[in-house]
Amino acid sequence: MSEQKLSPKETAKINYAPPKKSWFDPKVELRRGNYNYGAQVKSAEYLGLPHARTWKPTEADWQLPANWKEIVLEGLGDLLKKYRSLQIFMDTCVRCGACADKCHFYIGSGDPKNMPVLRAELLRSVYRNDFTAFGRLLGSLAGARELTADIIKEWFFYFYQCTECRRCSVFCPYGIDTAEITMAARELLNMLGLGIDWITTPAANCFRTGNHLGIQPHGFKDSVDFAVNDLRDIYGIEANVPINKKGAEILFVVPSADYFGDPHYFGFLGYLALFHEIGLDYTFSTFASEGGNFGLFHSAAMMKRLNAKIYAEAKRLGVKWIIGGECGHMWRVLHQFMDTMNGPADFLEEPVSPITGTRFDHAKSTRMIHIAEFTADLIRHNKLKLDPSRNDNWKVTWHDSCNTARAMGIFEEPRYILKNVCNYFYEMPENTIREQTFCCGSGSGIGTDENLEMRLRGGFPRGNAVRYVQEKHGVNLLACMCAIDKATLPAVVDFWAPGVQIGALHELVGNALVVKGEKRATDLRGQPLPEIPRGNFSSLKPEV
């Protein structure tokens, strides 16, 4: 965090008064707690990225290439030609301010340049100066700024205080997607070698070993074997978990944190128990051992490059279709980019559940569905025996992860699942959930320890909503289905609503699941099951 450790009470004292200096002044204060470290040279070089070097954001000289201005302006010109949406977003904003107070970073910091409208102006002002007749003629009167090294530093500071959550776009009357402006600005920064390490290194690891964490194939198998042993200890069952099995019906792809992180791992156990119980013919892949895609936070080319491995492995293994696990940006890439970047996947079949016969028509082209859709369908067809009382030690609320909810429209399936596997479920306030959900404050690759103060400020709106249901209903578990959320929300919630744990959707499914031949005494965390009479299993609830 920052040099002076803040308390939640002090951090919540946010000054929203506009600063005296003009927004045209690009100078920023980079200090411990409000920025991310630059990319490691070895990771940048492994990916073949330009201008790899050792540099520090806090130093005055960022060692920009000699022709840095030419690189940026040519790069922006190329992006404007390539993406019609970016050109439209540059030209159509009328600065109405509808988005101004919708960003969690503005709410948590009070910094006007974290208003989506003004953050976009940081790029738009350079666009006006060099790409519009108005700007060339009228200069600052038209909101134009000449590109300087200080503006590059300003971009680095503020475009890495945007999590690309797209909440602002919900309220924009013109439909401007500020996340795409952030993506363009980050792509320009990367052209200068100004990437951050927690995007570049996971991307390099993913390209090298198939996952963000750099886990090699034998390490992945060890993790799966460890999970099989845990299932034996918890359920008393012998689960068969196939890896690299050719001819399986389904390829299952998960974020690497699911088999390596906490609390993600408990959801991973839930997946495996569920698939064992229904006898699903599936396989993992050591090559596609990562569903997440940090390319989304780097550039379109990197996104396409990393995502290609999923289809490549599906083709090599000869599966029929794909299920993806609980991950956020995995599904933004899938839902909005994968089909045009890497598809259509004509070599696969349209997904049909082998258990219920449900045809997932919405996946006709991508041939890939979300695990929440699959599980909700099983419950709706009464294919699972569930005992929701096994989750009675939890009073649960649900965090709509930005990329599965707002970007993909998965609102009701997780709630339907929760209402069948939990007896105590409470919603956060209406304007903080579903399409208007607040971000965790740490997405898009900025969830690092060195950036903790900004993460906590950005997480203030979500933390405040959690605290509301904690105080009103005694909520002690915030469930979600995004790997980044599970990794970053513990620190955010511990700061704003201490006492609330973070859990996976399929952890709760696994707790409630009654497995044939089981001998259960604990939940997936190894905690004793609640002392409540068994046998009152959930009934079919057809409405979703």
Side-chain angles (χ1 to χ4, degrees), residues 328-453:
H329 49 293
M330 170 184 184
W331 289 100
R332 172 90 191 277
V333 174
L334 163 69
H335 191 58
Q336 299 185 339
F337 302 107
M338 183 164 161
D339 199 29
T340 50
M341 284 183 166
N342 305 109
D346 295 334
F347 58 91
L348 296 173
E349 297 180 8
E350 183 180 335
V352 176
S353 172
I355 312 301
T356 66
T358 295
R359 185 174 295 276
F360 296 97
D361 292 332
H362 63 289
K364 280 183 179 179
S365 188
T366 61
R367 314 298 213 249
M368 185 170 180
I369 69 164
H370 193 284
I371 184 68
E373 300 171 296
F374 184 73
T375 302
D377 178 64
L378 292 173
I379 295 173
R380 189 157 56 93
H381 286 88
N382 206 24
K383 298 298 183 180
L384 303 178
K385 198 173 186 181
L386 300 168
D387 182 356
S389 70
R390 291 178 170 181
N391 281 311
D392 279 357
N393 54 328
W394 298 118
K395 292 188 175 180
V396 182
T397 193
W398 178 249
H399 168 63
D400 287 288
S401 302
C402 301
N403 286 312
T404 50
R406 189 159 38 240
M408 195 180 177
I410 299 185
F411 301 122
E412 302 310 322
E413 289 89 344
R415 287 173 169 83
Y416 178 72
I417 293 170
L418 286 173
K419 290 172 184 177
N420 279 276
V421 301
C422 299
N423 286 320
Y424 303 106
F425 169 61
Y426 305 94
E427 291 275 18
M428 285 182 279
E430 186 176 350
N431 63 342
T432 71
I433 60 174
R434 291 187 168 86
E435 195 172 29
Q436 296 187 41
T437 185
F438 276 111
C439 179
C440 65
S442 308
S444 78
I446 64 176
T448 59
D449 289 344
E450 71 266 19
N451 191 43
L452 185 57
E453 182 182 336

Side-chain angles (χ1 to χ4, degrees), residues 72-144:
V72 171
L73 295 178
E74 284 188 4
L76 179 55
D78 289 342
L79 292 176
L80 290 166
K81 292 174 186 174
K82 189 183 296 184
Y83 304 116
R84 184 167 176 264
S85 58
L86 181 62
Q87 179 76 64
I88 292 171
F89 297 157
M90 288 291 99
D91 289 333
T92 54
C93 178
V94 296
R95 305 186 194 179
C96 70
C99 66
D101 60 345
K102 306 306 186 295
C103 176
H104 47 284
F105 277 116
Y106 172 67
I107 295 171
S109 70
D111 186 339
K113 290 188 181 180
N114 272 324
M115 293 178 179
V117 57
L118 190 44
R119 190 189 293 113
E121 284 293 307
L122 306 182
L123 178 62
R124 195 177 280 119
S125 60
V126 173
Y127 161 75
R128 288 197 191 101
N129 188 74
D130 289 272
F131 294 88
T132 70
F134 243 168
R136 284 191 288 265
L137 200 64
L138 300 176
S140 62
L141 292 175

